[in-house]
């Protein structure tokens, strides 16, 4: 039989991830054969064996574990002896093919070396950040739920996740946490040379700004300062500032790590500054055939005065710069720079910074999303283990003590920061092959009419936050993230600044300085994706409106980050201890034995929007695949959200389920889970509430009231409005401030149970009124169907006056919705009239009620909920105008 035929036969015994490396046909040598004598009592056919070396591959990488598979053969060979000795078990084989034996032994030696030198997990588990954001079970095959699937691959995934989690649990043994501050900035300079002081962007903590200028946030005239001025003489030196040095990195974290406290001293300079530039040079020469670093040098000269450079990288109009304090840079290793990204290791924590462009123009959202995914695949780093950064531009493994391994993606980091901006196409270079093959850039826009965006930008300070909120609801990048089309899992700080593009000098602009031919947008953004094991807190996110040299405004973000310094020796000991536990587990042939303390989990009372948990104790009675020699408490949590509540509230579904606890290669356990749901009027449709015979909590039967018995409007919302009308119309901050969570829960319970509103006389009246107002907003916000259905939105916003608006709702809305609308808008109208009356008594000339505008900003997006999935949306200002017909 030929070796190729044997290999085909062996494949039936192997998993898909396993590969035959070498085959040797032998037979078992008896003791007499070892002495040169024959043994007639057994035929050669009975003693014939095929020895196969099988290697396991995962993600196209050969693992450091290998097996010898023994398969009975059908014919005999003789001669050369081979003895295999494994942990005291010895067996001798003989073969006649010395050449095949030589190949076989060479492969054995190679794989033994691989197994013995296989790298243990990195100091901090750094698989793809996109994968570890999700729970491990989401990566398992259907076999994990008892259906056909790849159980062996699932076991490997569970082992890897267990190993990483155990190393994280024990990190206090081998690590020390340091708190550092990082400042990140991105600036599209539109081909301009530096002509203003950059310190408001680079070192804002040393700048003062008048209250009037901060309030207006409108572009000031160009500052008459030196183009290369970095900071005033009064500002402390960045590299040697004792204040900065004592307040940052040397202030090690010694507190309890279980507390999510990342509070640090915010004055002084950050420990690291990373700046990304775009459009440094717009000349045809730079784009087509020739480029110099003249523009880069100009910007570096304007920034690096009194600052220390670690590394910078520029590519056809793009520049990324990293600056680190002198007392911090000694802890930085593995500096690795590539076309539009750089990566460095601070202590044992890998930080990656990307400065990238995606497709331009308003109607190319899908192209921008596709470009993001393309860059995610193409931006690669050579993984370099280096003793120094002296030769980081072209590492030589032989001469500089560095080791270059396979390329890694930007997502193989502990924290990934992504800076985005620009408005014209630029070349992107593949970091592995260094080939420029396509043009991409970024310009995520706002999907609102140009005139609407400008009106929202021009709104007064009292409603600016609402205007920004409404514009962001139509921001293409925000939508792409929420829908999982691009930057999934990334975080972004709360945007409180106005759009950063496009401004103009010497061209027609509006009153706020924006180009009248280009719709304003937040094209300049800073996003970040951290590992779940890294503590990070964003402390600022701002735009520098006073820097007017470009058609973009620079933005910046500050972060407090806990980075880890690890003792490699102690880490290795911990890692190998866990690896040996897994090795023992893999080699065991025992059937997994799992004990469950009880198979009936009862949650008791379960409440709307309130988590309830029960513990299930699992004990590994054998050498199973879940946990080696341990018991584990499995937490089961039930949470009734807005999606599941409507059916439960009306009794159409019950909290009763059967869970299957699947044991890999073992016995399945069936667990009954039950709970007694406490019905709530929240997340219940208005048309259902008006047909209930009483409070929903007291509902004993499912049958609704007959049509002739239906009430005009839900009792619950009328109770809220009546209480507010009686007690709260004179509260200045009504609906504008938060109440107390305990009071909110009490009010909600009264609505569900029908109990009277009774509160301690000492309860603060303002807090109580604010709490009632919050409950009313939540009630409307959580309705399964919005007050004004999406199909009616376009007709409503076309109404020219109140009469026309009322005609639409009176003929189109169901009676339950119409009666609530009338009661609610009458109450809001009363609040506005009360406010105007107070202003007139105080002698204030109020031509337009700011209170009404604020209320319209709050209620319009709740009453007119958009349906983005069906593309049924109308503009925010149109919604507000319709509501103002009723409340002014």
């Amino acid at each position: 039989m030929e070796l190729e035929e044997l290999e085909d036969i062996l494949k039936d015994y192997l998993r898909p991830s396993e590969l035959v490396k070498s085959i040797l046909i032998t037979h078992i040598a008896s003791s007499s054969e070892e002495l040169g004598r024959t043994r007639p009592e057994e035929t050669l056919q009975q003693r014939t064996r095929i020895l196969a070396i099988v290697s396991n591959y995962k993600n196209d990488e050969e693992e450091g574990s290998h097996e010898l598979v023994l398969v009975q053969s059908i014919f005999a060979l003789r001669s050369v002896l081979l003895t295999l000795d494994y942990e005291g078990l010895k067996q001798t084989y003989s073969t006649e093919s010395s050449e095949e034996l030589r190949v076989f032994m060479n492969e054995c030696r190679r794989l033994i070396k691989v197994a013995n030198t296989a790298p243990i997990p990195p100091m901090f588990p750094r698989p793809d950040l996109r994968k570890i954001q999700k729970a491990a079970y989401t990566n398992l095959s259907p076999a994990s739920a008892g259906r056909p699937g790849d159980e062996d691959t699932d076991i490997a995934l569970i082992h890897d996740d267990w190993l990483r989690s155990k190393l994280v649990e024990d990190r206090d043994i081998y690590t020390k946490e340091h708190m550092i501050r990082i400042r990140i900035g991105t600036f599209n300079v539109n081909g301009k040379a530096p002509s203003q002081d950059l310190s408001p962007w680079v070192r804002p903590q040393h700048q003062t700004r008048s209250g009037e200028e901060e309030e207006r946030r409108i572009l000031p005239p160009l500052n008459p300062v030196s183009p290369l001025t970095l900071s005033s003489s009064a500002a402390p030196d960045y590299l040697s500032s004792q204040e900065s040095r004592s307040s940052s990195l040397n202030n090690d974290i010694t507190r309890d790590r279980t507390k999510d406290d990342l509070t640090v001293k915010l004055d002084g300079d950050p420990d690291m500054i990373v700046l990304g530039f775009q459009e440094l040079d717009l000349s045809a020469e730079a784009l087509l055939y020739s480029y110099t670093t003249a523009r880069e040098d100009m910007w570096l000269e304007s920034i690096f005065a009194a600052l220390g450079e670690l590394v910078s990288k520029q590519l056809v109009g793009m520049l990324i710069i990293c600056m680190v304090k002198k007392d911090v840079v000694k802890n930085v290793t593995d500096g690795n720079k590539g076309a539009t990204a750089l990566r460095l290791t601070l202590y044992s924590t890998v930080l990656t910074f990307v400065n990238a462009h995606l497709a331009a123009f308003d109607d190319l959202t899908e192209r921008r999303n596709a470009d993001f995914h393309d860059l995610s695949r193409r931006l690669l780093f050579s993984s370099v283990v280096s003793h120094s950064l002296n030769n980081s531009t072209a590492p030589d493994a032989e001469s500089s003590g560095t080791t270059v391994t396979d390329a890694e993606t930007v997502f193989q980091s502990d924290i990934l920061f992504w800076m985005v901006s620009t408005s014209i196409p630029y070349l992107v270079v593949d970091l592995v092959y260094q080939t420029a093959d396509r043009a991409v850039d970024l310009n995520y826009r706002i999907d609102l009419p140009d005139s609407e965006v400008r009106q929202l930008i021009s709104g007064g300070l009292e409603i600016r936050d609402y205007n920004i909120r409404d514009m962001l609801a139509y921001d293409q990048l925000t939508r792409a993230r929420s829908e999982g089309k691009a930057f999934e899992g990334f975080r972004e700080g709360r945007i409180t600044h106005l759009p950063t593009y496009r401004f103009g000098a010497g061209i027609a602009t509006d009153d706020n300085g924006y180009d009248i031919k280009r719709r304003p947008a937040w094209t300049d953004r800073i996003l970040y994706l951290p590992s779940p094991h890294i503590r990070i807190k964003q402390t600022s996110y701002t735009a520098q409106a006073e820097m007017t040299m470009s058609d973009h405004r620079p933005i910046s973000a500050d972060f407090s980050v806990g980075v880890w310094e690890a003792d490699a020796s102690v880490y290795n000991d911990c890692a190998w201890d866990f690896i040996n536990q897994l090795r023992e587990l893999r080699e065991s042939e025992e059937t997994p034995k799992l004990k469950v303390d009880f198979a009936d989990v009862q949650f008791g009372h379960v409440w709307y929007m309130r988590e309830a948990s029960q513990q299930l104790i699992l004990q590994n009675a054998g050498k199973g695949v879940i946990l080696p020699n341990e018991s584990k408490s499995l937490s089961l949590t039930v949470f009734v959200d807005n999606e599941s509540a409507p059916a439960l509230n009306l009794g159409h579904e019950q909290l009763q389920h059967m869970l299957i606890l699947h044991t890999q290669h073992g016995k399945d356990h069936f667990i009954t889970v039950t709970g007694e749901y406490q019905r709530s009027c929240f997340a219940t449709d208005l048309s259902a509430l008006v047909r209930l015979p009483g409070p929903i909590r007291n509902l004993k039967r499912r049958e609704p009231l007959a049509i002739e018995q239906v009430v005009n409007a839900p009792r619950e919302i009328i109770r809220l409005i009546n209480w507010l009308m009686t007690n709260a119309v004179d509260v200045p901050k009504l609906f504008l401030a938060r109440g107390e969570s305990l009071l909110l829960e009490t009010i909600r319970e009264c609505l569900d149970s029908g109990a009277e509103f009774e509160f301690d006389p000492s309860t603060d009246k303002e807090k109580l009124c604010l709490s009632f107002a919050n409950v009313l907003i939540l009630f409307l916000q959580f309705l399964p169907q919005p007050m004004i259905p999406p199909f009616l939105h376009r007709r409503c916003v076309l109404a020219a006056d109140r009469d026309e608006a009322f005609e639409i709702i009176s003929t189109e809305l169901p009676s339950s919705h119409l009666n609530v609308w009338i009661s609610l808008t009458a109450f809001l109208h009363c609040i506005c009239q009360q406010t105007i009356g107070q202003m007139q008594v105080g002698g204030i000339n109020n031509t337009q009620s700011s209170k009404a505008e604020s209320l319209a900003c709050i209620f319009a997006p709740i009453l007119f909920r958009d349906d983005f999935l069906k593309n049924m949306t109308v503009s925010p200002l149109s919604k507000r105008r319709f509501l103002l017909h009723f409340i002014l």
Side-chain angles (χ1 to χ4, degrees):
M1 184 177 294
E2 298 295 332
L3 293 181
E4 291 79 5
E5 296 178 84
L6 291 176
E7 187 172 342
D8 291 337
I9 294 174
L10 282 174
K11 289 180 180 178
D12 294 335
Y13 294 85
L14 304 179
R15 307 175 194 138
S17 60
E18 293 175 329
L19 180 67
V20 176
K21 305 294 291 187
S22 182
I23 297 176
L24 183 65
I25 302 174
T26 70
H27 67 268
I28 298 175
S30 64
S31 57
S32 59
E33 283 181 303
E34 294 178 34
L35 296 173
R37 300 188 300 271
T38 61
R39 185 177 176 183
E41 59 269 22
E42 286 186 322
T43 67
L44 287 176
Q45 182 175 353
Q46 291 176 319
R47 291 184 286 123
T48 299
R49 298 291 186 271
I50 296 175
L51 301 185
I53 298 177
V54 177
S55 184
N56 186 40
Y57 279 73
K58 180 182 178 184
N59 297 330
D60 297 326
E61 294 181 0
E62 192 171 25
E63 290 187 332
S65 60
H66 307 276
E67 304 174 20
L68 287 174
V69 179
L70 306 182
V71 182
Q72 188 96 23
S73 185
I74 58 174
F75 64 97
L77 293 172
R78 304 180 51 122
S79 194
V80 184
L81 296 181
L82 167 67
T83 299
L84 300 180
D85 188 350
Y86 179 71
E87 295 187 351
L89 300 177
K90 183 181 295 186
Q91 180 65 58
T92 301
Y93 303 88
S94 64
T95 180
E96 289 186 342
S97 174
S98 58
E99 177 62 22
E100 291 178 5
L101 178 62
R102 183 187 64 78
V103 174
F104 185 87
M105 292 302 299
N106 287 340
E107 185 64 19
C108 274
R109 294 188 184 97
R110 187 188 73 81
L111 293 179
I112 290 173
K113 182 178 180 180
V114 170
N116 291 336
T117 61
I120 61 176
M123 196 69 69
F124 289 98
R126 282 188 286 269
D128 193 304
L129 281 173
R130 295 164 295 187
K131 295 181 179 179
I132 62 175
Q133 300 295 318
K134 302 177 181 179
Y137 72 86
T138 61
N139 297 318
L140 300 179
S141 76
S144 63
R147 298 191 296 271
D150 190 346
E151 286 198 338
D152 296 314
T153 300
D154 289 345
I155 291 174
L157 290 172
I158 293 171
H159 287 172
D160 291 346
D161 181 72
W162 179 84
L163 177 58
R164 287 195 298 268
S165 64
K166 295 297 289 185
L167 289 171
V168 171
E169 288 176 12
D170 287 0
R171 65 183 177 185
D172 284 351
I173 299 175
Y174 58 84
T175 64
K176 180 180 181 181
E177 186 181 22
H178 300 271
M179 182 58 63
I180 69 163
R181 291 176 297 159
I182 302 175
R183 182 171 182 81
I184 299 175
T186 179
F187 192 6
N188 186 315
V189 301
N190 191 31
K192 302 295 193 298
S195 59
Q196 287 184 272
D197 181 8
L198 301 182
S199 56
W201 181 46
V202 178
R203 309 184 73 192
Q205 62 275 15
H206 299 298
Q207 303 300 307
T208 58
R209 187 177 298 157
S210 69
E212 179 181 352
E213 179 182 331
E214 178 68 23
E215 180 174 304
R216 288 188 294 112
R217 296 188 185 181
I218 297 176
L219 296 178
L222 186 67
N223 294 330
V225 296
S226 167
L228 300 182
T229 299
L230 178 63
S231 60
S232 66
S233 58
D237 178 73
Y238 173 76
L239 293 177
S240 60
S241 170
Q242 293 298 324
E243 172 193 23
S244 301
R245 184 174 304 161
S246 62
S247 66
S248 54
L249 187 66
N250 292 336
N251 184 19
D252 296 337
I253 303 299
T254 57
R255 60 180 177 275
D256 184 357
R257 288 175 179 168
T258 62
K259 298 179 180 179
D260 188 21
D261 177 18
L262 286 177
T263 303
V264 294
K265 190 175 180 181
L266 297 180
D267 57 342
D269 289 301
D271 302 291
M272 183 181 298
I273 299 175
V274 180
L275 305 176
F277 292 87
Q278 306 85 34
E279 298 187 19
L280 262 73
D281 194 340
L282 300 182
S283 66
E285 293 84 356
L287 291 173
L288 297 177
Y289 59 85
S290 176
Y291 192 74
T292 68
T293 62
R295 292 299 180 100
E296 175 183 355
D297 295 340
M298 294 176 65
W299 283 97
L300 291 177
E301 185 177 357
S302 65
I303 291 174
F304 286 163
L307 296 179
E309 176 191 3
L310 172 64
V311 64
S312 70
K313 182 64 180 178
Q314 184 178 5
L315 171 71
V316 193
M318 297 175 64
L319 173 66
I320 187 166
I321 304 167
C322 179
M323 296 163 284
V324 183
K325 283 185 178 178
K326 290 179 178 177
D327 58 349
V328 179
V329 71
K330 64 179 181 292
N331 300 303
V332 175
T333 59
D334 301 346
N336 196 329
K337 59 182 188 264
T340 56
L342 66 86
R343 181 173 67 173
L344 55 86
T345 301
L346 179 55
Y347 291 110
S348 304
T349 303
V350 173
L351 308 175
T352 299
F353 305 87
V354 176
N355 181 20
H357 299 257
L358 309 177
F361 305 111
D362 293 1
D363 57 348
L364 294 181
T365 307
E366 294 304 321
R367 170 69 180 276
R368 282 186 280 278
N369 297 337
D371 285 339
F372 162 75
H373 292 292
D374 182 61
L375 285 174
S376 298
R377 291 188 297 268
R378 290 158 49 82
L379 286 174
L380 302 173
F381 289 110
S382 296
S383 182
V384 180
V385 180
S386 173
H387 301 295
S388 70
L389 291 175
N390 295 335
N391 196 24
S392 61
T393 57
D396 183 343
E398 297 296 328
S399 61
S400 65
T402 62
T403 302
V404 182
T405 63
D406 293 336
E408 296 181 348
T409 73
V410 294
F411 291 96
Q412 291 177 268
S413 311
D414 290 307
I415 310 175
L416 170 60
F417 297 95
W418 199 298
M419 297 168 277
V420 292
S421 181
T422 204
S423 56
I424 67 171
Y426 279 110
L427 298 178
V428 174
V429 173
D430 188 297
L431 300 183
V432 176
Y433 302 105
Q434 295 296 310
T435 59
D437 60 359
R438 65 176 299 187
V440 293
D441 74 344
L442 176 118
N443 249 335
Y444 280 104
R445 306 302 175 91
I446 302 172
D447 284 330
L448 286 173
D450 180 84
S451 59
E452 182 114 351
V453 173
R454 295 181 194 276
Q455 282 183 266
L456 289 167
I457 291 174
S458 300
L461 287 174
E462 66 278 358
I463 61 172
R464 175 161 293 176
D465 287 344
Y466 298 120
N467 291 346
I468 290 176
R469 176 206 64 189
D470 287 346
M471 285 190 288
L472 285 171
Y474 296 85
D475 172 68
Q476 292 174 350
L477 178 54
T478 302
R479 293 271 306 280
R481 289 172 53 214
S482 64
E483 295 171 3
K485 295 181 178 179
F487 294 98
E488 183 179 9
F490 278 79
R491 304 179 192 175
E492 184 178 23
R494 180 170 174 257
I495 293 179
T496 58
H497 54 268
L498 295 176
T500 57
Y501 179 81
R502 181 188 187 206
F503 297 90
I507 61 175
T509 62
D510 62 15
D511 292 339
N512 294 308
Y514 292 98
D515 181 355
I516 62 172
K517 294 183 179 180
R518 299 296 294 272
R519 187 190 317 170
W522 285 286
T523 59
D524 309 276
R525 312 284 275 271
I526 297 173
L527 299 93
Y528 63 103
L529 182 63
S531 165
H533 314 305
I534 296 295
R535 303 199 308 157
I536 182 171
K537 179 179 180 181
Q538 185 166 349
T539 57
S540 75
Y541 195 25
T542 59
Q544 278 64 48
E546 62 269 46
M547 295 182 60
T548 62
M549 69 186 80
S550 172
D551 57 355
H552 290 251
R553 295 296 170 259
I555 66 169
S556 61
D558 291 293
F559 298 88
S560 296
V561 181
V563 297
W564 299 95
E565 177 185 9
D567 185 320
S569 175
V570 179
Y571 170 82
N572 290 342
D573 291 341
C574 292
W576 277 114
D577 180 58
F578 295 132
I579 290 172
N580 288 333
Q581 292 184 47
L582 287 176
R583 179 177 294 171
E584 180 183 354
L585 179 63
R586 290 191 184 103
E587 294 167 356
S588 173
E589 297 182 356
E590 294 183 21
T591 299
K593 297 178 182 179
L594 187 67
K595 292 183 179 180
V596 181
D597 55 352
F598 54 89
D600 185 14
V601 179
Q602 298 180 1
F603 281 92
H605 287 176
V606 176
W607 311 82
Y608 167 70
M609 296 291 282
R610 194 185 302 175
E611 285 189 355
S613 297
Q614 291 288 344
Q615 301 299 314
L616 190 65
I617 305 300
L618 309 178
Q619 183 180 3
N620 190 354
K623 293 186 177 181
V625 298
I626 294 181
L627 289 171
N629 305 316
E630 290 185 0
S631 294
K632 186 70 174 180
S633 177
L634 180 65
S635 178
L636 301 179
T637 301
V638 59
F639 180 73
V640 178
D641 58 13
N642 291 316
E643 183 177 350
S644 56
L648 290 168
N649 285 335
L650 298 180
H652 296 159
E653 294 184 4
Q654 303 296 320
L655 287 181
Q656 185 172 357
H657 299 275
M658 178 70 72
L659 303 182
I660 300 176
L661 182 61
H662 180 63
T663 306
Q664 301 284 356
H665 300 311
K667 176 185 175 182
D668 289 345
H669 297 263
F670 296 88
I671 302 170
T672 302
V673 179
T674 58
E676 186 179 346
Y677 179 66
Q678 304 301 295
R679 298 175 179 176
S680 175
C681 60
F682 288 81
T684 302
D685 197 71
L686 295 178
S687 60
L689 289 174
V690 296
R691 301 189 66 186
L692 298 181
I696 194 169
R697 182 70 53 74
N698 302 330
L699 186 64
K700 300 301 182 184
R701 57 189 178 90
R702 300 182 184 178
E703 295 78 12
L705 292 174
I707 297 297
E708 61 274 8
Q709 296 176 301
V710 170
V711 296
N712 293 328
R715 302 172 182 85
E716 296 80 7
I717 197 167
I718 297 302
R719 289 185 66 190
L720 284 173
I721 293 175
N722 287 342
W723 192 97
L724 288 166
M725 183 75 79
T726 304
N727 300 279
V729 291
D730 58 344
V731 176
K733 295 183 179 179
L734 194 68
F735 297 112
L736 304 178
R738 290 183 177 274
E740 292 183 356
S741 57
L742 184 59
L743 290 175
L744 264 68
E745 289 295 328
T746 302
I747 297 168
R748 282 175 48 178
E749 181 63 22
C750 290
L751 293 174
D752 289 336
S753 64
E756 295 295 326
F757 294 135
E758 296 180 352
F759 301 93
D760 190 291
S762 62
T763 303
D764 182 89
K765 179 187 176 182
E766 183 180 30
K767 287 292 185 183
L768 184 59
C769 293
L770 294 176
S771 299
F772 267 91
N774 292 164
V775 172
L776 176 59
I777 290 177
L778 292 174
F779 188 99
L780 297 170
Q781 186 175 349
F782 294 155
L783 287 173
Q785 299 296 326
M787 182 74 68
I788 307 296
F791 73 86
L792 202 56
H793 288 185
R794 296 194 183 277
R795 284 192 58 193
C796 289
V797 299
L798 294 176
D801 52 37
R802 187 184 187 280
D803 292 338
E804 188 175 342
F806 188 79
E807 176 68 19
I808 295 173
I809 65 167
S810 63
T811 57
E812 297 290 344
L813 287 184
S815 59
S816 57
H817 289 231
L818 175 61
N819 291 327
V820 171
W821 177 272
I822 293 173
S823 300
L824 176 64
T825 54
F827 168 57
L828 298 179
H829 175 74
C830 182
I831 295 176
C832 295
Q833 294 301 114
Q834 181 79 9
T835 304
I836 293 175
Q838 292 171 349
M839 290 181 176
Q840 290 173 344
V841 170
I844 301 175
N845 181 16
N846 182 51
T847 58
Q848 183 181 11
S849 175
S850 60
K851 183 73 171 183
E853 286 192 34
S854 297
L855 291 175
C857 291
I858 294 169
F859 282 92
I862 296 174
L863 302 176
F864 288 83
R865 289 211 305 267
D866 288 318
D867 190 339
F868 285 102
L869 294 179
K870 297 181 179 179
N871 198 28
M872 301 176 70
T873 64
V874 294
S875 67
L877 289 179
S878 299
K879 299 175 186 178
R880 297 181 196 175
R881 283 192 291 266
F882 183 84
L883 183 56
L884 287 171
H885 287 317
F886 294 87
I887 68 176
L888 266 181

